Structure formats: C-alpha cells, structure tokens
Amino acid sequence: MKKMLAVLIAAIFVLPVLAGIACAESALTDGTYSAEQQGFGGPVKVEAVIEGGKITDVTVTGNNETEGIGAAALEPLAEQVKEAQGAAIDGVSGATLTSGAVKAAMTEIMAQASGKGAAELKIADGTYEAQAWSFSMNYQMNVKTVIEGGKIASIEVGDNGDTAIILNTAIENLIPAMIENQSVKVDSITGATVSSGAIKAATEDCLVQAIAAAGGDVAAVSAFYTVPAKSTATETINTKVLVIGMGGAGIMTGNRIVDTLYDAYEGDTTKIDVLMIDKAAKYGGTSVTTSSPMSINPKSFVEKNDGKEYVDAAALKAAWMEYTEGDAKEWAIDMMMESSGDAVDYLIENGFVFGAPVQGLSDPYLICCNYGDGFMVDKSIVQAYFDKFMGNYTMKGGKYMLQTEATSLITDETGRVTGVNAVGADGTTYVINAQYVVSATGGFAGNGEMEDKYFSDEYYNLSGGGRWNMYGMSQNDGKMIQSAIDNGAATYCIGMPPVSHIGGAYKVMHEFPIIQQEYPDFFTGKPATISLNDIPMMLAVAPNSMAVNRQGVRFKDETTLTAYGNWAAGAYFYTIWSDEQMQSIRDNGLKFSNIGIFINQGGWPANTPIPELYDVLEKGMEMDIIFKADTIEELAEKIGVDAATLAKTVADYNSYCDTKENPPQGIEKNPVIYDLSGRPMEGEYNVYEKIEGNGPYYAVKGAPWIYSTTGALDVDEQFRVLKTDGQPLEGLYAVGTDCLGIMFTEKKEYVTYGGADQGWAFTSGYLAGKQLAETILAE
Ligand SMILES: Cc1cc2nc3c(=O)[nH]c(=O)nc-3n(C[C@H](O)[C@H](O)[C@H](O)COP(=O)(O)OP(=O)(O)OC[C@H]3O[C@@H](n4cnc5c(N)ncnc54)[C@H](O)[C@@H]3O)c2cc1C
C-alpha cells in the first residue's frame, strides 16, 4: 500500500513538474553542448545540437556500457531525448544506470543551454520509498530514503531478491559513501555493481519524490550528482608473493602457501610475506556462488563409505581424454583424479562443510561434493566458510587488500614478471613489487573485446557477437590475462566456448506483472512466481522451435537449448516462428515449460492459453528481442542474415519435420527431451513443428548466459605461465579459470563433467600454493 502511495505521490507531483521542465526548456541558445555522467560501466557522454531553440541532433556514447543492454540503449535514449526535447525521458527498461546517466547529462546540458545554471534545490524532509530492478529477475529491490534538513540522512534497503552476501558489500560500502558525499553518483562497488546501481537508482527516485513534494524543480536532483574526487596518491608495496584475485583458486593458493611456510618456519609469522588482492569489496569471487566442486574420491568420504570409492578414476580419466580428443593435458587430468579429493578434504579441515560425492550435471559419475551437503545452500553459509578460511590465512601471517585492482604486470629487463601496477577504489595507485605473482582472476568473461578477439570460429561461430550475456562476475575482465599475453605468454584453448548451461532471452523483460504462487521456488525458497515476461525466454529455448545462428543456419539440436549447446551460435541466436504457431500458442499455450535456470521469473505453465501473447510480442519488438516480417526473406534482413540462406534453412527444416530425414546442417533433433540431470521427459510430445503459413513470421533473439570463459593461459605442471616458446614466463603463475583451458579442447564444450571448473579452481590452488611455498623454502 505504501509503495502504491509513493508511486501515486510521485505521479501527482512529478508529472506537472516535468511538464514545467519542458516549458522552461524552450528558451535555449543555439549551439553544441555536451555533458558526461557515470553509466553502468563508465562515462556516458551526451552531445546535443540546438538549432533555432530546438534540439536537432543528439549523440550518446558510452564505450563501456554492457553489450546488448546499456550499449543497445544508447541510440534509443538519444532518440528519446530528441523526442522529449530535453531530459524528461522514460529511459530504456533494463538499462537503468545508462538511462539515468543520459537523463543527468541532459539535465546539465539544458541548464547550460538555458543559461539558467542548475535549478534551485527545494526538497521536503520525510521518508520516501522507491523500487528498482537489481540482480533478481523476479523481485525488485525496495529502498527507503530519509531526508532530514534537506540532506540524505539514511538509505535503507528493504525487501529484495539479491544474493545477500553480494548486496551486503554494497550496503556496507556504497551507502556510507552516498551519505558522506550526498551523492547518487559515487562509484559502484566492484563485485556488486548491479546491486549498487539499483540502490543509486532507487535513491535518486526518492530524491525526485522529495523535491516534487516541496514543489521544486526535479532537475535540481543534479545537486546530488557530485562525483567524489579521486586520490592522486601513489604507494609502493613490496612482497614476496602476490596473489591477484581472491576467489576459490586465489584463496586456496594463499592458504596453502602460508600453511606450508608457517609449518616450516615453526609459527614465525614475521617470515611470511604473502599478499592477496581483489578488486571487489569482498573476497570469495564467483566461487561463493557455486554449489558443488568436482572432488574425486575424497579420502574422508571414502573412509566413511567403508573404504569404497565413489568413482572409478581410471575410467573417468580415460573417458575425459577421449572426450577431449587428446587435447587436454594428461598431467592436469591426473591432478584432478588424484588431488581434487585432497583439496576438498583440506577445505573440510579448514571449516568447510561438504556432502559426500553426488552426481554432477548430465553425468553418471559421483564426482560433485555439494557445499553444506545440500544443492544450492544459502550463499551466506558458503561465505562463512570462506571467512573461516581467511581467518586461517591472516592468523598465519597472510595479508590482503580488497578494492584493489591489478591493472598490468610489471616486468624487468629480462622479461621476468616482478610485480603489478594496481589501483584502489579511492584512486590511490600502487606499485606492488613481488618475486612471485599468481594470476587467479577468474577468466575474461567481463570483457567483450577479449571475447571477440580470442573466441575461435574454427569449430563454431563464436566470435564477433559483442560481449556475451553473463550470469557470473563481470569484474573478471581479463586484464591480467591480456597483460600476460602482451608480455609473451602462450594461451591454451583460449578460443574454446565459455562455460554455459543457461539459455534464455537476449534481454530480460520486466513489462508484465510477476504473479506469486503458493508453492516455494526450488532455488530461492521464496514463493515461486510465474510471469508473461518469460515468454520471449521460453520461445528462445523452446524444444519445438527451429533455431539459427548469426549466419541463418541451424547450429544445435533445439531440444538442448535450455541448458546445453546454446553457446554454439556465439553470443546470440534466433528461433524462427510462423504466425500459425503464435496463434496456437495464444489459444492453447506453449507446448513445453522449458526455462533457462536462474534467468527467469518462474516461466509460464505449458498448455495454458496466453491471450496476451501478441502484447508480449509487441513489447519484445520494442526491446529488439523479437522481430516480425511478412516473409522469411524480410525477416532475414531484419535480423541481419542472408535471406536465401534463411529461406533454405526453413524449407529444409520443414521437409525434415515431415520426413525425419536430411536435417538441415545434418543436425538431428532428438525426439526426447532431457532435464538437467539427464532424465528423459515423460509423456507424448512432438518436437518437430513446421514453420508454415502466409506470414507474418517472427524471430526471437536468444542467448547463452555464461558463468565464465574457459580457456586462457598455458601453464606447466608447476603452474608457471608458459611463453609462446614453451619456456616459463619467469615470476608468473596462473590458477583456476585463468588456466582452465588446459583440461579441455577447442573442439568441444566444457560441460560434460559437472563441477570441473570449481574443482579445478580448488585443486590448482591447492597444488600451486604448496609448490610455490616449497620453491620459496628451497631458495
Ligand atoms: C551461478 C554460478 C554457479 C556455479 N556453479 C558451479 C558449480 O556448481 N560447480 C562448479 O564447478 N562451478 C560452478 N560455477 C563456476 C565456478 O564458480 C568458477 O569456475 C570458479 O568460481 C572459478 O574460480 P576462480 O577462483 O578461478 O575465479 P573467481 O572465483 O571468479 O575469482 C576471481 C576473483 O578475481 C578478482 N579479480 C578479477 N580481476 C582482478 C584484477 N584485475 N585485480 C584484482 N582482482 C581481480 C575477482 O574480483 C574475483 O574475486 C558456477 C558459477 C556461477 C556464476
């Protein structure tokens, strides 16, 4: 009710005031004006040309905005500004921060052009509430802001669907900075950028309400746009070992080094000189969001199992080597077979709780140990394990710095890596000199440029689609991997597909209500939901669709798109539909209830008519995730593929549906649909559905949502990064995702052995840390 009230108050007060802005904006001096504001990934610049008192041209640029979301919003936002003739724009759904930056920059431009300067701030004390979309797909974040004496006195985050441990870093670090600087434009907290963005957006909304309540000009909200000055200090730090990245691989490495040295130095912590840094405001990285690392026959569990092993490691190794067609490094697979159990036992000794090995994704082997002995335990429990682990590390003399980002490697005249340049969140720059540098930065999925540059088209069409959608840590942007390559490092399988088992719509829709159900959600435990917002997602991964890649040809058996194989088209793909199919969905419902895990608002039950279907399609068209045309050829043009190619794919596919022979691109469709664990769906169903009729036709843009990249740096058995000549790049080591490719092949996807990536993070850190400590002791 309160929320409704807040919305109503905002509507009553804001609308006339916005209208007021439009009037005030008419007396403008001709010229070209520009202003810059912080968007999601970096500065967003607006340039406006004013001729004859009217805005005639607007350009919005923001090179660091997320591909497909903020970046895709830049042009529509420029259009909106032109149409609104000012800052009073609606913004683009899903791109809140980019929209906010454009509004703020435009407010500044209007002040410049009208010669009025910033509007006078009139603001009413009180408590205001607003909501913003954050990390959760189905629960908005509620924010309460208290204004006292015209200032932000407090900001409180209420109900939300965010991951608590990530949100907390924003609450602890962002909110104090916002209050101290009286600003909604302070830097987002690395590792919690989405939560930070939502807090800032909702607080700004509260401020607008407060200004409107005082009868002020809402443009005066720019009084809260102060960007705090950055420190210009430089510091030098010297350390024996520097570990960059404090996810599972980094923390494991750091602990093993200090543990080994502590024992060797008989508890003399003054001799221990190990520093870990992380750019995020908390340690744990992606590794805290994980459920189950691969762990082959951990001794503690085998003992409890009457000495019986859980898996035949030799058979698993043989299958793995066969799957990777001999490309995986055999010694790395041996390490997983022999030491992944020890790594998990070591974590247990350090306070972690794991369950006995269970089956991984789509695989018969008992190789995955769940954190806390339950699938998807509360992440705050997992974070508490990492806290304990860090307690061991600091107690034994290890040091660490958060919010400190390594930006490039430092090398000496011989080419040896001797440290890194780094920067703190407050702008302080650091020169960190180290004898040994370990890269544990979790891959490069946060960096679209690197993805375009390194993903290979040799086996699949992976490159050139811009930054891939991600369900992981976007701060893992590969700076250290790139810097290592720039210094002569070799890569291993860097061109291979990223880690993906989530398929969904290219953009998430938020237009329609989210309807709560009476049963709990499997993953969150909160009431389950359903929503029409998920229809584009369900159309994108429907088993009865025909899917094509960015060249207009089929790339995978469509029955697997929900979870597997959706990466094979690159950063996005399309499913193609006829209007007959759409009419049938409207009247009878979707035939399947497949949804991509995590990236959904509960889906929509199968076989349930959807009278609003065409409204959903319209909204999807506005969001550029659904395309409609009268003919297949015109549709091809709309989605940028060759018309004849798409027409042929459709014709061949239709004929295949009739005859079950000669599938286009030779890709057979399995008549059976399997769930994530490999269980076949029961009942009678038909996945062969033709795309027929007289049009119109539709294309639905789908995408894989990746956890991380897979391939990266090449290493030897001591985890020394290798150069392209096969020799070690002295001083540099890599663990976890930064060298995950050595266990795989560019010819296949990562996914077959569930838990391998987190398993490798722990196992490589476990072994690398011990070896590095021994190297130090042998000096
Ligand atoms: C939702 C989700 C569920 C998953 N579930 C599973 C699962 O069940 N089983 C499984 O095996 N795997 C799973 N994974 C994958 C697994 O989490 C990763 O493989 C693993 O966490 C990688 O560990 P890492 O230490 O290499 O990287 P991370 O844990 O990502 O750590 C990298 C750290 O480096 C920091 N960093 C990056 N760049 C810099 C820099 N320049 N300077 C300083 N710090 C930097 C980051 O802030 C981060 O803290 C899942 C991933 C996700 C997203």
Side-chain angles (χ1 to χ4, degrees), residues 18-36:
L18 289 180
I21 295 180
C23 282
E25 285 172 359
S26 56
L28 301 174
T29 309
D30 286 1
T32 301
Y33 300 86
S34 68
E36 206 172 84

Side-chain angles (χ1 to χ4, degrees), residues 245 247-249 278-279 285-287 290-292 406 471 475-476 737 755 757-758:
D278 201 294
K279 69 198 282 193
T286 326
S287 302
T290 310
S291 324
S292 33
Y471 194 74
Q475 79 259 26
N476 292 353
T737 312
D757 46 0
Q758 184 61 55

